[in-house]
Amino acid sequence: MTGTGRAGTAAPIAVGDQAPDFSLKDNHGRTVRLADFRGAAAGHDGGDEGGGAGDSDLDLDGKNVVLVFYPFAFTGVCAGELGALRDALPAFVNDDTQLLAVSTDSIHTLRIFAEQEGLEYPLLSDFWPHGQTSRAYGIFDEDKGCALRGTFVIDRTGIVRWSVVNALPDARDLDQYVKALAAL
């Protein structure tokens, strides 16, 4: 689903589009770039001189990325969704796939949230410039100052192959991510 924009947002990027690249800090202060997960065939060598997540385990084939935007740490629906991903982590962090979760919280908030919830995958901060990456994906809610619940499955070449965008109170179905990855 790509849908149209909701009040206060632009339309989300479409399936088949090139995923906008980004460079964000994770909950440990490391720089994570979407381009680091692209394979050599996509024109990227997989190297990362800035100490990004996963730089030592990427091969020339790259990885598919499940990019999950969520509104805020320490909220019930967000904690539930990210906890479900934690509980099914082998499906989303393996030799073929990398899970990346993004919110507009600061890296300090994300570090404490990850520790409290036992989250062992990168939580990326879209804090400053505030919501820049969420805006690039067309899911930043200008009225609320946060991302909607958007998920984008991005293939090894950087193309969006599946997406879903839900309103703030509406949790997403984790099984849909698994099906989307299986189709790649």
Side-chain angles (χ1 to χ4, degrees):
M1 170 188 151
T2 54
T4 59
R6 291 165 174 70
T9 64
I13 61 169
V15 170
D17 285 353
Q18 183 74 36
D21 198 13
F22 57 79
S23 178
L24 297 171
K25 297 285 186 186
D26 74 4
N27 48 307
H28 298 289
R30 295 176 297 221
T31 300
V32 177
R33 297 171 188 86
L34 181 61
D36 291 342
F37 298 98
R38 290 193 185 128
H44 185 74
D45 66 7
D48 179 10
E49 298 165 10
D55 60 345
S56 63
D57 63 357
L58 290 181
D59 58 28
L60 294 177
D61 292 333
K63 286 188 174 192
N64 300 311
V65 172
V66 178
L67 185 62
V68 177
F69 289 88
Y70 61 101
F72 297 111
F74 298 107
T75 58
V77 177
C78 294
E81 285 187 314
L82 297 180
L85 288 165
R86 173 201 59 219
D87 295 345
L89 201 57
F92 302 107
V93 178
N94 54 54
D95 290 342
D96 297 318
T97 305
Q98 178 62 52
L99 171 63
L100 301 173
V102 182
S103 78
T104 55
D105 294 299
S106 74
I107 63 170
H108 311 291
T109 300
L110 296 176
R111 184 176 308 124
I112 304 266
F113 181 58
E115 289 171 6
Q116 178 178 310
E117 298 294 325
L119 305 176
E120 298 290 329
Y121 50 88
L123 301 184
L124 307 182
S125 175
D126 193 16
F127 184 71
W128 199 256
H130 190 69
Q132 180 177 20
T133 300
S134 302
R135 282 183 180 93
Y137 281 78
I139 59 163
F140 187 76
D141 186 322
E142 297 288 344
D143 298 330
K144 305 269 192 227
C146 65
L148 297 171
R149 295 184 191 285
T151 301
F152 301 88
V153 173
I154 302 164
D155 72 14
R156 299 167 197 265
T157 65
I159 303 298
V160 176
R161 296 298 176 189
W162 181 88
S163 71
V164 63
V165 179
N166 287 2
L168 294 177
D170 301 329
R172 293 159 283 195
D173 181 357
L174 183 80
D175 292 334
Q176 291 180 343
Y177 308 174
V178 175
K179 289 176 187 172
L181 285 169
L184 294 181

